[in-house]
Amino acid sequence: MGIIRKTQSVEVLLNEFQEKSNAISAIELIKRLSSQINKTTVYRVLDKLEDDGVLHSFLDNSGIKWYAKCNDCSKAGHTDMHPHFQCVSCGKVDCLSIEVTIPPIPNREIEVSQILIQGRCESCNVK
Amino acid sequence: MGIIRKTQSVEVLLNEFQEKSNAISAIELIKRLSSQINKTTVYRVLDKLEDDGVLHSFLDNSGIKWYAKCNDCSKAGHTDMHPHFQCVSCGKVDCLSIEVTIPPIPNREIEVSQILIQGRCESCNVK
DNA sequence: ATAATTAATGCAACTGAGTTGCAAATATAG
DNA sequence: CTATATTTGCAACTCAGTTGCATTAATTAT
């Protein structure tokens, strides 16, 4: 698919990812933009932005979908594989720029790996 | 909570994990046992077996819940942290007994980490 | 053993994130 | 600026998982 037209919805959504660099859940976006964009459209635009390598998505431990900006991805594929961190205290989720190496597994061909780390984030750790 | 009574449902469910050692999705269990156990009960018993450290659970990439036998866990907590592998071809999921080390992250306290690896399993790799 | 107590079960109805079909609206190409 | 193709909104749906409550089955006490 991919983004074809620079529509209002696309602009509004992209804008949400401009400021802060942490991940945002689809649900949160739907809530935030409920007066401007329809829920279905939010899902559809997010989908396309992902196809286009602008955003990447992942599920948290309760199965809800999160989106965050991509750094080195393209339409060709999401190559930027990194772990995600979810704070068990405040719920904030962000991308970690650390490398986690998955050792090769006998007889299995690894395609992708999703790593979700849970713990207490910097701000919640102090309190 | 924890398991208190050795009921029929508990026995039937535990039996499903006796034979093969790979993970089974809640949905699959509900289908398999539909004539013997009610869906609600399946969810509730799985929940308790997890609390008791008999089974552990995780979500796959489409957000559905899987359960597998624990090896070194107890009521005190699930200590046996290992990656899970889902075959993109046949859908089979199993526990990997490999170690994946998450490096310490500055200012963050890691509690748990979920690693889901996707690729082609041994049998699907041959074909 | 049997009654009393407490936990587990089944059912039906619900929840909530995400999806689908389709007609109306809006971008882009010609 | 019209024609064509893509997006959008809406309402209705899907489907895994949950909840409340009355019934049933285990366990404990008698």
Side-chain angles (χ1 to χ4, degrees):
Chain A
M1 242 188 235
I3 290 288
I4 306 190
R5 298 183 181 186
K6 268 269 148 66
T7 63
Q8 271 280 287
S9 314
V10 172
E11 246 173 81
V12 170
L13 261 166
L14 277 179
N15 197 47
E16 290 296 315
F17 290 93
Q18 230 53 59
E19 310 281 299
K20 294 197 158 195
S21 66
N22 50 309
I24 315 174
S25 70
I27 297 166
E28 170 65 22
L29 285 166
I30 289 163
K31 253 188 243 154
R32 268 191 219 171
L33 307 173
S34 61
S35 61
Q36 307 170 67
I37 317 178
N38 176 276
K39 151 184 154 171
T40 310
T41 307
V42 172
Y43 280 117
R44 286 195 276 227
V45 172
L46 288 173
D47 236 44
K48 289 191 192 155
L49 288 171
E50 185 171 19
D51 277 359
D52 257 28
V54 179
L55 299 178
H56 64 278
S57 76
F58 54 95
L59 300 180
D60 71 7
N61 260 16
S62 57
I64 78 157
K65 212 165 187 179
W66 292 74
Y67 285 87
K69 262 189 286 188
C70 284
N71 288 320
D72 301 310
C73 300
S74 69
K75 278 163 229 177
H78 290 275
T79 51
D80 179 23
M81 276 298 136
H82 54 257
H84 294 102
F85 184 93
Q86 181 164 40
C87 178
V88 293
S89 174
C90 69
K92 200 175 72 180
V93 176
D94 33 39
C95 302
L96 297 179
S97 53
I98 59 169
E99 277 279 335
V100 176
T101 318
I102 309 280
I105 309 156
N107 304 317
R108 292 182 215 231
E109 205 179 290
I110 298 179
E111 285 185 10
V112 275
S113 57
Q114 303 274 351
I115 304 179
L116 180 67
I117 301 169
Q118 287 180 298
R120 294 177 64 84
C121 75
E122 345 185 40
S123 12
C124 292
N125 224 351
V126 183
K127 293 167 198 162
Chain B
M1 244 190 237
I3 290 291
I4 307 189
R5 298 181 182 187
K6 270 266 149 64
T7 63
Q8 272 280 286
S9 314
V10 172
E11 245 172 83
V12 171
L13 261 166
L14 277 179
N15 197 47
E16 290 296 315
F17 290 93
Q18 229 54 58
E19 310 281 298
K20 293 196 158 195
S21 66
N22 51 308
I24 315 174
S25 71
I27 297 166
E28 169 65 22
L29 285 167
I30 289 163
K31 253 187 245 154
R32 264 191 222 171
L33 308 173
S34 62
S35 60
Q36 307 170 66
I37 317 178
N38 177 276
K39 152 184 154 173
T40 309
T41 305
V42 172
Y43 280 117
R44 286 197 277 229
V45 171
L46 288 173
D47 236 44
K48 288 192 192 157
L49 288 171
E50 185 170 20
D51 278 0
D52 257 28
V54 180
L55 300 177
H56 64 278
S57 77
F58 54 94
L59 300 180
D60 71 7
N61 259 16
S62 57
I64 78 157
K65 212 164 187 179
W66 292 73
Y67 285 87
K69 263 189 285 188
C70 283
N71 287 319
D72 301 310
C73 300
S74 68
K75 277 163 231 177
H78 290 276
T79 51
D80 179 22
M81 276 297 135
H82 53 259
H84 294 102
F85 185 94
Q86 182 164 40
C87 179
V88 293
S89 172
C90 69
K92 199 175 72 181
V93 176
D94 35 37
C95 303
L96 296 179
S97 52
I98 60 169
E99 278 279 334
V100 176
T101 318
I102 309 281
I105 309 157
N107 305 316
R108 292 180 216 230
E109 206 178 290
I110 298 179
E111 285 184 10
V112 275
S113 56
Q114 303 274 352
I115 304 179
L116 180 68
I117 301 169
Q118 288 182 298
R120 294 176 65 84
C121 76
E122 347 185 38
S123 13
C124 291
N125 224 350
V126 184
K127 294 165 197 162

